Amino acid sequence: MSSTGATIDFRNVRKSYGKFVALENFSMHVGRGEFMTLLGASGSGKTTALNALAGFTDIDSGEILIDGVSITNLPTEKREIGMVFQSYSLFPHRSVLRNVSFPLEMRGVPRAEARRRSEKALAMVRMDALVDRMPHELSGGQRQRVAFARAVVFEPRVLLMDEPLGALDLKLRETLQLEIKAYQRQIGCTVIYVTHDQGEALTLSDRVAVMDKGRVLQVGPPEELYDRPRSRFVAEFIGANNLLTVERAENGGMALEGLGPIKGDIAHLSGAEFVSIRPELVRVRHGGGGAHPARLKETVFFGNSVRYVLLTDADKEISAIEPRRPGQEIRPAGARVGFDLDTTDLVALTA
Ligand code: ADP
Ligand code: MG
């Protein structure tokens, strides 16, 4: 099974419900065969964007193109889009096989060929042994595999997935994330995936678009969003972060809230209102010393890592994470320590 993925362009799309604006100035390009994820809190407009692309909702203004062609006047069934939703949207009175063959039946594919193609799609998701089961006889994960097979059986150019793993438990979610990624590579279609789970977005995607209030705040590969968030919102949404207000910056140094002066290369921080640093980049000096004296407020043991909350003498909390080494002493809260920050690890943020 394979399909040639299409390119997708949202250009300045606006969608309102009465006075409420659900999508505003929404622009995004998705490349052929790319796995793009829309990441945002509930209500940020993710589903609205998918619905506009699929044709379930019309837009106030702007334009949406598939393969460079405007789809404004193209009916839903002509857009060649497969969809998987969070809720199990299988037909309850159709068997697994007849659920998957449904899109082919709709397209007038002859019965024998529809059966062959459906079985092939079900084999890909390892459901070929259960073709005669009814949906209520399947587990949640199995239902989503069937829903996935049904969405791709007609070899759509575009596959949209709206929180497809949202109803599953964590372990199963992680397994299916890897499966979905592998299936998409195999098929080659263009995917827009929606989630509010940042871990899922980082795991699955070629690129992630972070959304807030109907807008795209930043779009980029997962590593770029993680390493170089541009705004406070993105920095706080993706991964853990220490956020520090810049109090003063001048040649050769800057001062940060609760930490005092920082020395080192700060050219990349010019104009920053805030800087952030990831906990794993804070260098804890367990024997004391370091540029910033502190005491341990809290130590949390995670097995493979240890998380520390440090309190500076000016009462600023700093989170640090270290890999755990066997035999390493875990010091009690209250112990005097210190830490260092490398200025090149600091990321400049705007409000
Ligand atoms: P998300 O999928 O990111 O959770 P949605 O796109 O579903 O967000 O919704 C974005 C906003 O638009 C929400 O505040 C929601 O309440 C509102 N909204 C969505 N659909 C409708 C509708 N049919 N009528 C009125 N408001 C809606
Ligand atoms: Mg939604």
Side-chain angles (χ1 to χ4, degrees):
M1 196 180 347
S2 69
S3 67
T4 312
T7 62
I8 299 162
D9 286 280
F10 288 85
R11 291 190 187 152
N12 290 317
V13 172
R14 183 191 157 91
K15 170 68 187 176
S16 55
Y17 298 105
K19 278 189 188 144
F20 181 79
V21 182
L23 287 181
E24 169 104 87
N25 214 347
F26 183 82
S27 295
M28 182 172 78
H29 171 80
V30 188
R32 211 174 290 289
E34 188 172 29
F35 198 118
M36 173 70 91
T37 295
L38 303 183
L39 172 66
S42 175
S44 56
K46 307 180 298 293
T47 296
T48 302
L50 290 196
N51 286 344
L53 176 60
F56 301 145
T57 185
D58 34 294
I59 57 179
D60 307 345
S61 60
E63 205 175 16
I64 304 176
L65 303 96
I66 298 183
D67 268 343
V69 178
S70 170
I71 57 167
T72 310
N73 297 313
L74 200 63
T76 299
E77 62 277 11
K78 293 258 163 68
R79 296 187 186 189
E80 292 184 66
I81 290 175
M83 290 200 76
V84 183
F85 304 95
Q86 174 178 345
S87 55
Y88 308 125
S89 48
L90 299 181
F91 304 114
H93 302 302
R94 283 178 162 249
S95 66
V96 164
L97 183 70
R98 294 202 57 233
N99 260 281
V100 176
S101 66
F102 180 78
L104 300 174
E105 289 170 32
M106 294 297 289
R107 287 167 173 78
V109 175
R111 215 182 172 84
E113 189 193 336
R115 184 178 179 103
R116 188 184 55 76
R117 286 170 64 181
S118 302
E119 283 173 345
K120 200 171 163 202
L122 283 163
M124 181 183 70
V125 299
R126 293 182 288 113
M127 288 295 293
D128 43 332
L130 302 176
V131 292
D132 294 324
R133 288 263 181 101
M134 299 303 283
H136 74 269
E137 298 172 309
L138 302 175
S139 71
Q142 290 172 332
R143 284 183 216 186
Q144 286 307 65
R145 286 195 184 94
V146 174
F148 187 91
R150 187 180 60 182
V152 298
V153 72
F154 61 99
E155 302 183 0
R157 294 185 294 168
V158 176
L159 175 62
L160 306 181
M161 287 187 270
D162 195 347
E163 315 227 14
L165 308 181
L168 307 177
D169 63 62
L170 178 65
K171 187 103 183 136
L172 187 55
R173 223 157 57 217
E174 288 173 348
T175 308
L176 280 169
Q177 283 166 14
L178 298 178
E179 285 186 24
I180 285 174
K181 180 92 186 164
Y183 302 150
Q184 187 255 348
R185 278 211 200 96
Q186 194 177 327
I187 299 167
C189 60
T190 304
V191 169
I192 303 183
Y193 188 99
V194 159
T195 184
H196 62 267
D197 178 338
Q198 44 119 356
E200 190 162 297
L202 298 181
T203 304
L204 279 170
S205 321
D206 295 320
R207 284 192 302 151
V208 179
V210 181
M211 289 186 65
D212 183 42
K213 301 192 182 78
R215 294 167 179 272
V216 175
L217 292 189
Q218 188 172 350
V219 57
E223 320 82 80
E224 187 178 305
L225 290 178
Y226 190 84
D227 293 342
R228 292 192 298 282
R230 284 201 298 264
S231 58
R232 178 176 175 168
F233 185 92
V234 174
E236 290 185 324
F237 201 82
I238 296 184
N241 236 315
N242 293 295
L243 194 79
L244 303 154
T245 308
V246 175
E247 286 181 338
R248 177 172 53 77
E250 58 202 28
N251 267 355
M254 74 193 312
L256 298 175
E257 161 215 4
L259 267 68
I262 302 277
K263 289 200 175 57
D265 178 6
I266 57 160
H268 65 296
L269 303 174
S270 87
E273 296 169 68
F274 303 96
V275 298
S276 70
I277 184 163
R278 298 283 179 194
E280 64 269 28
L281 299 174
V282 174
R283 297 176 188 178
V284 183
R285 307 300 178 202
H286 292 278
H292 307 284
R295 66 185 169 79
L296 270 184
K297 186 182 175 199
E298 211 178 302
T299 304
V300 188
F301 178 61
F302 279 117
N304 61 356
S305 63
V306 186
R307 173 170 177 250
Y308 303 100
V309 180
L310 312 174
L311 202 59
T312 69
D313 291 347
D315 274 348
K316 172 73 183 172
E317 277 189 13
I318 299 289
S319 289
I321 291 180
E322 286 186 336
R324 158 88 177 149
R325 287 170 200 83
Q328 179 188 337
E329 177 201 4
I330 303 217
R331 303 183 63 209
R336 289 300 301 183
V337 292
F339 65 93
D340 286 302
L341 307 178
D342 188 333
T343 50
T344 57
D345 292 332
L346 294 171
V347 177
L349 302 175
T350 59

